[in-house]
Amino acid sequence: DQQVKQNSPSLSVQEGRISILNCDYTNSMFDYFLWYKKYPAEGPTFLISISSIKDKNEDGRFTVFLNKSAKHLSLHIVPSQPGDSAVYFCAASVGAGNKLTFGGGTRVLVKP
Amino acid sequence: GAGVSQSPRYKVTKRGQDVALRCDPISGHVSLYWYRQALGQGPEFLTYFNYEAQQDKSGLPNDRFSAERPEGSISTLTIQRTEQRDSAMYRCASSSIAGGPEQFFGPGTRLTVL
């Protein structure tokens, strides 16, 4: 049973516009949520995280929103740039330092 | 470089052979994790260590899989009597115990079992 789900396998967006990636989870014990970005032939790269005591965390063009009641998080990228084209994974853990449970990924294509 | 390194990057083996995959974590990182990633899916947890102690091996699929980290630095994931279903990307990550929840991933080892 998948505990972390990314229901959109792909997303296409125009350069300069907002990219919104969604992630749903089922395990209410998760208290840390992370987003990773992955280019072909490379390992996943950490982007941004949020703990369950917050509902928003921002880092430059990237903002993560957490809705605990809906067990839903989203990643906003504003403005989107061609270099943002990659696969994005959301992940969650119970406690910092424990195993990460990943979603299946969303492929983002930013068109110039 | 200062990142996580893994070797070999690619491994092709015949069914029934044993393979050993190596991970060299970021210097000073206490925690080391192994994941397996099938094509088109996210990484799936296998096992992890704090220092040399294996904390959780609940993700190892069967007893053909084992891992060690004898000196609390480099780790080896061993798969005995490989089967075709073991073919996947094997990823290693490390993290600082004093840091946040983020784990830093290596480039992975692509294992192909013929």
Side-chain angles (χ1 to χ4, degrees):
Chain A
D1 186 30
Q2 261 191 306
Q3 296 187 59
V4 178
K5 283 187 180 178
Q6 295 175 254
N7 290 316
S8 297
S10 64
L11 171 69
S12 183
V13 64
Q14 206 66 35
E15 180 180 5
R17 306 295 290 270
I18 184 171
S19 294
I20 300 177
L21 291 80
N22 294 300
C23 180
D24 297 295
Y25 62 95
T26 57
N27 187 347
S28 58
M29 298 297 290
F30 287 144
D31 54 359
Y32 287 95
F33 304 88
L34 303 86
W35 285 94
Y36 282 81
K37 173 180 180 179
K38 186 187 170 308
Y39 291 121
E42 295 183 10
T45 302
F46 170 73
L47 265 181
I48 191 169
S49 66
I50 189 169
S51 76
S52 58
I53 62 173
K54 296 185 175 182
D55 54 18
K56 177 182 175 181
N57 189 25
E58 190 172 355
D59 184 0
R61 297 186 297 113
F62 302 91
T63 302
V64 57
F65 296 91
L66 176 63
N67 182 335
K68 290 187 291 294
S69 61
K71 294 190 177 68
H72 177 84
L73 65 154
S74 61
L75 175 68
H76 292 205
I77 307 173
V78 184
S80 300
Q81 301 174 353
D84 296 331
S85 296
V87 178
Y88 290 78
F89 293 98
C90 69
S93 70
V94 178
N98 289 321
K99 66 182 182 184
L100 294 177
T101 301
F102 283 83
T106 296
R107 183 176 299 278
V108 173
L109 176 63
V110 180
K111 298 178 180 178
Chain B
V4 176
S5 61
Q6 292 184 246
S7 61
R9 292 291 308 275
Y10 302 90
K11 177 69 178 178
V12 180
T13 191
K14 291 184 178 179
R15 183 168 52 92
Q17 297 293 306
D18 298 351
V19 295
L21 312 181
R22 172 183 164 131
C23 173
D24 199 342
I26 293 172
S27 177
H29 275 193
V30 164
S31 302
L32 184 149
Y33 309 80
W34 284 99
Y35 293 85
R36 180 168 70 172
Q37 185 172 14
L39 202 60
Q41 297 181 19
E44 288 188 345
F45 171 77
L46 294 175
T47 185
Y48 90 94
F49 296 82
N50 282 341
Y51 300 99
E52 72 282 357
Q54 193 168 20
Q55 298 293 318
D56 182 351
K57 55 181 183 178
S58 63
L60 296 177
N62 52 61
D63 60 7
R64 295 186 298 104
F65 287 73
S66 63
E68 62 175 9
R69 194 187 185 199
E71 297 178 1
S73 179
I74 293 168
S75 176
T76 303
L77 177 70
T78 301
I79 309 173
Q80 296 179 311
R81 305 180 303 281
T82 52
E83 300 177 6
Q84 286 187 328
R85 60 177 171 158
D86 299 334
S87 297
M89 177 70 80
Y90 289 82
R91 298 201 183 275
C92 174
S94 69
S95 71
S96 166
I97 207 163
E102 59 267 27
Q103 299 173 15
F104 299 90
F105 283 81
T109 294
R110 168 71 67 187
L111 174 65
T112 302
V113 182
L114 301 176

